[in-house]
Amino acid sequence: MHIVVCIKQVPDSAQIRVHPVTNTIMRQGVPAIVNPYDLFSLEEALRLKDVHGGRVTVITMGPPQAEAALRKCIAFGADEAILVTDRAFAGADTLATSYALASAITQIGKDQAVDMVFAGKQTIDGDTAQVGPGIAKRMDLQLLTYVSQVDALDLMTRTVRVQRRAEGGVQVLTTKLPCLVTMLEGSNEMRFASMDNMFRAARYQLKVWDRVAAGIDDVGKIGLKGSPTVVSKVFAPQARTQRAEIIDTESGEPRDIALTLLSKLFTQHPKLGEAISKRAT
Amino acid sequence: MAEKFDAIVVGAGPSGNAAAYTLAKSGLKVLQLERGEYPGSKNVQGAILYADALERIIPDFREDAPLERHIIEQRMWVLDDASFIGSHYRSDDFNKPPHNRYTIIRAQFDKWFSQKAQEAGVLLICETTVTDLIMDGTQVIGVRTDRLGGSIYADVVILADGVNSMLARKAGFRPELNPGDVALAVKEIHFMPEETIASRFNVSGDAGVVIEMIGKITKGMMGTGFLYTNKESLTIGVGCMLSDFKKQKISPNRLLEEMKSHPSIRPLIEGGEMKEYAAHLIPEGGYKAIPRIYGEGWLIAGDSGMFVNAVHREGSNLAMTTGRIAAETVIELAAQGKACSTKNLAAYRAKLDQSFVMKDMKKYQNLPDILHRNPQFLTTYPELLNQAAHIMLKVDGVDKKSKEKQIRSNFAHRRSLFGLVGDAYKMWRAFE
Ligand SMILES: Cc1cc2nc3c(=O)[nH]c(=O)nc-3n(C[C@H](O)[C@H](O)[C@H](O)COP(=O)(O)OP(=O)(O)OC[C@H]3O[C@@H](n4cnc5c(N)ncnc54)[C@H](O)[C@@H]3O)c2cc1C
């Protein structure tokens, strides 16, 4: 079994600031991390490998620094890592990115057929949630988004059954391999890498592919040229003027604190109180 | 499978990086373990970088090290409640390269230094905490980490794990930290456009200013405040002895908040946007607090060995120097095919004794005690000095001779003649 996991290195958005004068995003000094949503997908892939054996290959399209993110995935237990990097990719939007990744994954498949592709649900820096589905469409893979659990994988019948979070409930879906899965956050917890894997990651020579190695001939489909998206405006959200309030009660008893909180809430939002008392009666 | 190295360095701060870099450069097989997500992610410093110590390790560091500004002006302020008296030293000589001191941002600097060490051949593993030293009798033969299968072996282990050095304490190489031997410092980084810094501090290009402060801002506690200019930000902070914080029951952030609102400081930081807040301990016990720094298969460098010169606010340079000398000691032994035994590693201590490190540490060995026992240096004197300046500078029809007399009597009244002479003597002895 061969699983490919698509990851992205992103700036830790919790630490990003907007330049107060120029309104641009200040990336300098902001640590780069593996997109947190991708880790749920990587962990799920590693769990499938633990049970069914096989191989996990991680792939990213990004600048040379993205190497660090791939190395981290090796430490978690991925077998191989491929960095797809080329100046020609610069300025790619989700359309161009999914094209480049689909093409690279197709190349990977020539070495050993790919049974499953995992991608993050979305990124914390772009938040589009489009790249995973884009890859599935281009590669003609069954698409399973917002998966909270992979219930069963049958390599004989080549089917997989998953639970998918949908509005108002959970769908249980069965589909054929090969498929593309994006995992829901919180669906699993990334393992703590072993010392051996840390050594392996520190020494690992990752594969670096340029445009040609990734099997891309048409430069019109990648980078800025292949990206119809236009950023029309960037602005910093206004800080909320509303202040947090510390609720103090004389007794400090949880019950008193809760009552004080409730009475404050109901005073500030009278409708809420009405709605609740209506329900209660 | 357990791995074996020539040397394991614990920590990727200035001392660990200096040691690892030097060892790897000489061809030894070095593993460096750092618990932070990346080198510098957990580290806190003012931060002033002293070029000399780094130059001895990486002579051409200026080519690509992330340096903020070179320092051309040093201000020393003694603050009263609403005033300060001080000295400014500014020299255009400091503007001529190679520059002597720089402000840096540690998260970026440590990453750069570590990159150099890795290029030299160091195998760095981050996000991994060394939990124990592996002992064979009294000899350290390796380390254990918080990861599964985490035993790793080496001929020598260099503890460059910072002021807390849980490892040295656990192994009994060092006693528990004494609150009287460490300062607790808090600092903030405030974003400020380059142009504002240039006009507020009267600098241009990459030139910068540092302000060191003592006096009422520390409320009688032994400590100092500081304000440094970075490229696009200011660093402001204050640190006092941990024992004093405990006694006075003042929280460090409140102290910093009050310091920031001092009328002499507030205008300098006004309009800045806070980017970062950090707190860290500084080993300030001085020479007398230095523990044993070598033994069977182990060496201690940097803050872990309490190498900080609090008077001159030097720490990172002592860290780099002790790290480098520790490495050089190991390299010499390896070249001669000698073991890293207690007897052979004694050369480390001997080399430090010969260097500025121990000489400076020794020079101020009595200062911490004196300041502890004589809080007047940080409370009464700042007030008296500021009063004196105020009296002399205020033009109010009183003749200068009477003013001098008033100043003298203020001093005598607050400290008595005997006290004044005694204080002068104590200070002279401390700095002798
Ligand atoms: C507010 C402040 C201002 C300062 N200003 C200055 C200044 O302007 N100039 C100056 O020269 N010095 C200054 N210093 C002092 C200077 O920061 C220190 O002396 C210097 O950082 C010491 O370097 P080090 O490598 O010994 O320790 P550290 O920089 O503390 O590095 C220790 C490293 O070891 C790692 N570590 C610890 N335990 C373990 C473990 N068990 N396993 C794995 N890794 C571990 C830590 O994560 C850390 O990265 C200042 C200090 C403070 C707090």
Side-chain angles (χ1 to χ4, degrees):
Chain A
M1 174 146 96
H2 190 191
I3 306 177
V4 171
V5 183
C6 304
I7 65 135
K8 185 184 182 190
Q9 187 182 49
V10 293
D12 188 349
S13 61
Q15 299 189 42
I16 283 193
R17 302 250 153 191
V18 177
H19 195 296
V21 182
T22 61
N23 250 348
T24 50
I25 289 171
M26 301 198 291
R27 282 175 188 259
Q28 197 210 19
V30 177
I33 56 172
V34 180
N35 175 40
Y37 293 113
D38 300 347
L39 293 178
F40 300 109
S41 285
L42 176 60
E43 175 60 25
E44 203 60 31
L46 292 171
R47 286 182 186 187
L48 289 175
K49 180 192 143 181
D50 290 344
V51 177
H52 301 278
R55 196 152 72 108
V56 172
T57 302
V58 271
I59 180 173
T60 191
M61 183 190 95
Q65 309 86 278
E67 177 202 326
L70 287 174
R71 220 170 266 291
K72 201 156 227 172
C73 297
I74 295 285
F76 288 130
D79 298 279
E80 302 290 342
I82 299 168
L83 172 62
V84 185
T85 189
D86 200 308
R87 279 177 186 278
F89 294 136
D93 67 3
T94 55
L95 193 73
T97 303
S98 59
Y99 176 80
L101 284 173
S103 178
I105 296 167
T106 308
Q107 288 304 109
I108 294 174
K110 288 183 180 162
D111 180 26
Q112 183 187 348
V114 176
D115 303 297
M116 288 179 92
V117 177
F118 277 88
K121 188 190 86 180
Q122 66 198 66
T123 55
I124 57 168
D125 62 344
D127 281 307
T128 63
Q130 289 168 354
V131 172
I135 294 170
K137 177 76 189 149
R138 290 176 189 283
M139 294 184 71
D140 204 15
L141 305 172
Q142 297 301 314
L143 175 62
L144 299 164
T145 51
Y146 304 102
V147 170
S148 56
Q149 197 173 313
V150 177
D151 280 341
L153 173 69
D154 188 340
L155 289 174
M156 296 303 289
T157 56
R158 295 188 57 74
T159 52
V160 62
R161 194 178 75 228
V162 303
Q163 294 188 19
R164 178 179 190 269
R165 177 79 57 83
E167 251 166 66
V170 175
Q171 301 172 333
V172 178
L173 303 171
T174 303
T175 192
K176 283 250 175 238
L177 298 183
C179 65
L180 187 142
V181 176
T182 73
M183 295 297 296
L184 205 64
E185 65 271 27
S187 47
N188 56 38
E189 198 181 329
M190 180 45 83
R191 60 199 56 200
F192 192 55
S194 71
M195 204 62 226
D196 280 352
N197 275 342
M198 292 303 283
F199 275 119
R200 179 160 183 271
R203 292 178 172 135
Y204 181 74
Q205 287 280 339
L206 47 97
K207 294 187 187 137
V208 181
W209 285 3
D210 62 4
R211 171 180 68 83
V212 179
I216 299 162
D217 305 320
D218 187 354
V219 286
K221 289 207 166 129
I222 56 169
L224 207 53
K225 276 192 210 141
S227 301
T229 309
V230 178
V231 177
S232 59
K233 189 180 166 197
V234 176
F235 61 94
Q238 285 298 315
R240 273 206 265 174
T241 47
Q242 210 173 0
R243 289 264 174 177
E245 191 183 331
I246 294 175
I247 298 177
D248 240 348
T249 60
E250 260 166 43
S251 71
E253 290 292 321
R255 192 188 139 79
D256 290 348
I257 297 174
L259 284 175
T260 318
L261 172 66
L262 283 177
S263 80
K264 268 186 197 287
L265 277 177
F266 290 144
T267 329
Q268 278 175 22
H269 306 279
K271 289 237 171 74
L272 186 71
E274 281 165 32
I276 288 179
S277 49
K278 209 181 266 170
R279 264 202 189 191
T281 54
Chain B
M1 186 198 65
E3 299 237 12
K4 166 96 202 276
F5 292 83
D6 292 326
I8 292 173
V9 177
V10 186
S15 61
N17 286 337
Y21 176 88
T22 310
L23 288 165
K25 200 93 188 155
S26 82
L28 293 181
K29 191 179 167 202
V30 188
L31 173 69
Q32 189 178 22
L33 294 163
E34 164 60 46
R35 72 175 166 183
E37 200 180 329
Y38 57 90
S41 58
K42 298 208 162 190
N43 298 342
V44 182
Q45 189 179 331
I48 307 290
L49 171 79
Y50 305 95
D52 178 74
L54 182 55
E55 229 163 33
R56 286 169 202 267
I57 301 164
I58 304 180
D60 57 359
F61 76 89
R62 292 181 180 86
E63 276 172 21
D64 54 1
L67 306 168
E68 294 286 310
R69 289 171 184 270
H70 62 270
I71 312 300
I72 62 157
E73 180 176 327
Q74 171 101 20
R75 303 181 184 172
M76 315 267 234
W77 288 4
V78 180
L79 294 110
D80 196 2
D81 290 325
S83 63
F84 79 86
I85 180 165
S87 69
H88 292 194
Y89 180 71
R90 181 182 177 113
S91 167
D92 201 43
D93 280 346
F94 284 141
N95 243 333
K96 298 192 188 105
H99 303 121
N100 182 258
R101 295 185 302 159
Y102 298 90
T103 45
I104 53 167
I105 310 258
R106 274 287 295 276
Q108 288 158 36
F109 177 80
D110 286 7
K111 225 190 222 171
W112 167 86
F113 199 175
S114 168
Q115 189 57 41
K116 292 280 161 191
Q118 291 174 67
E119 283 162 19
V122 171
L123 187 70
L124 169 74
I125 294 186
C126 290
E127 292 180 285
T128 302
T129 303
V130 175
T131 49
D132 283 291
L133 298 173
I134 305 176
M135 309 290 293
D136 180 6
T138 57
Q139 190 189 348
V140 172
I141 55 167
V143 300
R144 257 188 284 278
T145 74
D146 57 345
R147 292 186 183 275
L148 195 72
S151 297
I152 315 152
Y153 297 88
D155 292 334
V156 66
V157 175
I158 299 181
L159 299 177
D161 53 346
V163 55
N164 269 316
S165 192
M166 180 263 289
L167 290 172
R169 280 186 285 143
K170 219 168 165 182
F173 300 158
R174 187 180 113 172
E176 289 296 313
L177 274 182
N178 166 7
D181 285 341
V182 285
L184 175 58
V186 289
K187 65 162 223 183
E188 293 173 359
I189 296 186
H190 291 249
F191 176 83
M192 191 168 282
E194 268 187 85
E195 313 79 64
T196 314
I197 295 179
S199 65
R200 246 177 230 187
F201 293 87
N202 189 22
V203 288
S204 59
D206 284 339
V209 173
V210 311
I211 309 177
E212 305 284 0
M213 298 170 251
I214 58 165
K216 286 288 197 58
I217 46 167
T218 59
K219 303 192 182 297
M221 299 187 286
M222 188 168 133
T224 55
F226 55 90
L227 196 164
Y228 301 151
T229 55
N230 305 315
K231 206 165 266 164
E232 270 206 316
S233 60
L234 299 178
T235 299
I236 183 161
V238 63
C240 294
M241 297 315 284
L242 189 58
S243 50
D244 286 352
F245 273 125
K246 275 173 101 174
K247 221 168 26 205
Q248 300 261 12
K249 298 198 167 51
I250 295 177
S251 83
N253 30 333
R254 216 189 86 205
L255 195 69
L256 181 55
E257 282 310 312
E258 286 182 22
M259 177 178 141
K260 275 160 48 188
S261 63
H262 190 283
S264 303
I265 299 170
R266 198 180 46 224
L268 292 176
I269 58 170
E270 213 147 56
E273 193 203 351
M274 212 231 284
K275 266 194 357 183
E276 196 182 303
Y277 176 86
H280 208 274
L281 294 176
I282 311 178
E284 294 200 346
Y287 184 75
K288 289 175 183 165
I290 297 175
R292 256 183 76 202
I293 52 169
Y294 65 93
E296 212 60 30
W298 59 272
L299 292 165
I300 289 181
D303 274 10
S304 180
M306 310 291 267
F307 292 109
V308 163
N309 177 345
V311 179
H312 290 265
R313 299 198 66 81
E314 291 177 25
S316 63
N317 57 331
L318 302 185
M320 288 184 208
T321 307
T322 51
R324 170 177 61 84
I325 294 179
E328 286 168 356
T329 310
V330 171
I331 293 166
E332 278 162 29
L333 292 178
Q336 296 164 14
K338 289 187 182 160
C340 287
S341 62
T342 311
K343 189 164 143 273
N344 292 337
L345 289 176
Y348 170 50
R349 172 80 204 210
K351 282 181 197 194
L352 289 186
D353 283 336
Q354 288 308 308
S355 74
F356 80 97
V357 173
M358 285 297 185
K359 286 181 186 163
D360 281 358
M361 294 298 294
K362 243 185 213 158
K363 177 166 152 65
Y364 299 113
Q365 59 179 318
N366 293 321
L367 194 65
D369 283 351
I370 292 173
L371 289 179
H372 257 300
R373 273 185 273 118
N374 300 276
Q376 70 272 17
F377 286 118
L378 295 164
T379 49
T380 316
Y381 283 107
E383 197 181 314
L384 287 170
L385 285 172
N386 278 278
Q387 269 175 12
H390 194 83
I391 293 167
M392 280 318 274
L393 293 172
K394 190 170 171 193
V395 177
D396 53 5
V398 179
D399 66 282
K400 300 297 180 274
K401 193 148 199 163
S402 305
K403 281 180 182 250
E404 279 173 16
K405 210 168 133 199
Q406 194 195 336
I407 292 170
R408 267 202 305 277
S409 103
N410 278 356
F411 270 74
H413 175 71
R414 293 292 298 276
R415 273 307 288 161
S416 83
L417 200 57
F418 190 69
L420 286 172
V421 174
D423 286 347
Y425 179 72
K426 281 177 211 151
M427 267 297 139
W428 171 68
R429 282 301 306 261
F431 284 86
E432 186 193 13

